[in-house]
């Protein structure tokens, strides 16, 4: 009604500028805030009986991209500055035990050698949204298992008397996680195809 003047005034009042050449200014925030916001929303959605699945899949993608961005940032700079403070070990992510449904699916997927079959199993599992497998938890489980397998001084494995997983198993977990991201992008309608 007011020719957009109300929106312009609100943006200016908020410190933004909708004028010539400038859009609404969004203050920068660290990736950890985005990650934590996604994590909170995913947990809230999980607690509801029904929710917007497209939004859920998109939040999963954003959260995992934040995780990967942080990891790449810390490895490229050689410091942890700017990196997310993430639960990146099993004991940090899950105080008592890994979620059973997700862990069972990981074990099943590690037995499948073909990437196409892994994608099909993930697509079916994610789309059916079984109560015992949540995509965001599966991606978290895969991340912490991969990260722990890369740690030089893995106290949890030492205390448990367990050997480090073989390179083949770690590579298979990486492939499963990559295929999981592909499926999430498809389901979220963010993929290029």
């Amino acid at each position: 009604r007011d020719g957009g003047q109300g929106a312009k005034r609100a943006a200016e009042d908020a410190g933004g500028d909708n004028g010539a050449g400038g859009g609404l200014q969004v203050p920068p925030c660290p990736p950890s805030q985005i990650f934590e916001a996604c994590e909170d929303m995913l947990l809230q959605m999980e607690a509801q009986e029904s929710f917007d699945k497209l939004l859920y899949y998109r939040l999963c993608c954003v959260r995992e991209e934040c995780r990967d961005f942080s990891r790449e940032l810390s490895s490229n700079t050689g410091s942890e500055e700017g990196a997310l403070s993430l639960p990146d070990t099993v004991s940090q992510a899950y105080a008592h035990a890994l979620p059973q449904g997700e862990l069972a699916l990981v074990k099943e997927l590690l037995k499948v050698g073909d990437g196409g079959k892994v994608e099909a199993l993930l697509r079916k599992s994610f789309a059916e949204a079984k109560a015992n497998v949540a995509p965001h938890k599966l991606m978290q489980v895969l991340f912490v298992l991969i990260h722990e397998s890369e740690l030089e001084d893995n106290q949890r494995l030492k205390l448990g008397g367990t050997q480090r997983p073989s390179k083949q198993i770690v590579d298979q977990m990486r492939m499963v996680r990559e295929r999981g991201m592909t499926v999430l992008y498809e389901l979220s309608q963010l993929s290029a195809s």
Side-chain angles (χ1 to χ4, degrees):
R1 285 185 178 160
D2 63 1
Q5 294 302 310
K8 183 176 180 180
R9 274 192 301 280
E12 288 169 354
D13 290 344
D17 176 42
N18 271 343
L24 182 63
Q25 298 296 312
V26 178
C29 66
S32 59
Q33 288 180 350
I34 298 168
F35 181 90
E36 290 164 4
C38 289
E39 185 71 15
D40 290 344
M41 288 188 276
L42 289 166
L43 293 173
Q44 289 173 15
M45 293 172 110
E46 181 184 18
Q48 298 174 359
E49 278 189 40
S50 64
F51 53 84
D52 183 341
K53 288 190 180 197
L54 185 62
L55 177 60
Y56 173 82
Y57 294 132
R58 288 180 176 182
L59 285 170
C60 287
C61 291
V62 170
R63 183 188 75 164
E64 293 306 310
E65 287 292 337
C66 282
R67 183 192 315 271
D68 292 344
F69 173 75
S70 172
R71 203 146 184 221
E72 188 175 319
L73 179 66
S74 65
S75 68
N76 286 343
T77 61
S79 78
E80 294 298 315
E81 188 176 329
L84 293 175
S85 174
L86 298 176
D88 56 6
T89 63
V90 171
S91 58
Q92 290 172 338
Y94 301 102
H96 302 290
L98 290 168
Q100 294 305 303
E102 288 77 8
L103 189 56
L105 182 58
V106 168
K107 288 178 181 179
E108 180 183 337
L109 293 169
L110 290 177
K111 296 175 187 173
V112 180
D114 179 67
K117 289 180 182 177
V118 167
E119 256 183 62
L121 288 168
L122 286 168
R123 193 174 291 109
K124 181 180 178 188
S125 175
F126 289 178
E128 287 179 359
K130 295 179 186 176
N132 64 339
V133 175
H136 71 277
K137 287 182 181 176
L138 179 71
M139 299 306 288
Q140 174 80 4
V141 167
L142 283 165
F143 177 82
V144 297
L145 290 174
I146 292 167
H147 180 76
E148 272 206 356
S149 68
E150 296 169 341
L151 291 175
E152 292 297 321
D153 188 28
N154 190 327
Q155 294 301 318
R156 188 180 70 85
L157 291 180
K158 283 181 183 176
L159 292 174
T162 308
Q163 290 185 341
R164 183 183 307 271
S166 70
K167 182 180 176 349
Q168 180 183 5
I169 291 174
V170 175
D171 288 345
Q172 181 74 3
M173 284 191 290
R174 283 192 185 101
M175 184 272 289
V176 169
R177 186 169 183 271
E178 288 171 14
R179 297 300 175 129
M181 285 301 296
T182 299
V183 171
L184 284 172
Y185 276 119
E186 288 172 6
L187 293 171
S188 66
Q189 300 174 3
L190 293 172
S191 66
S193 56

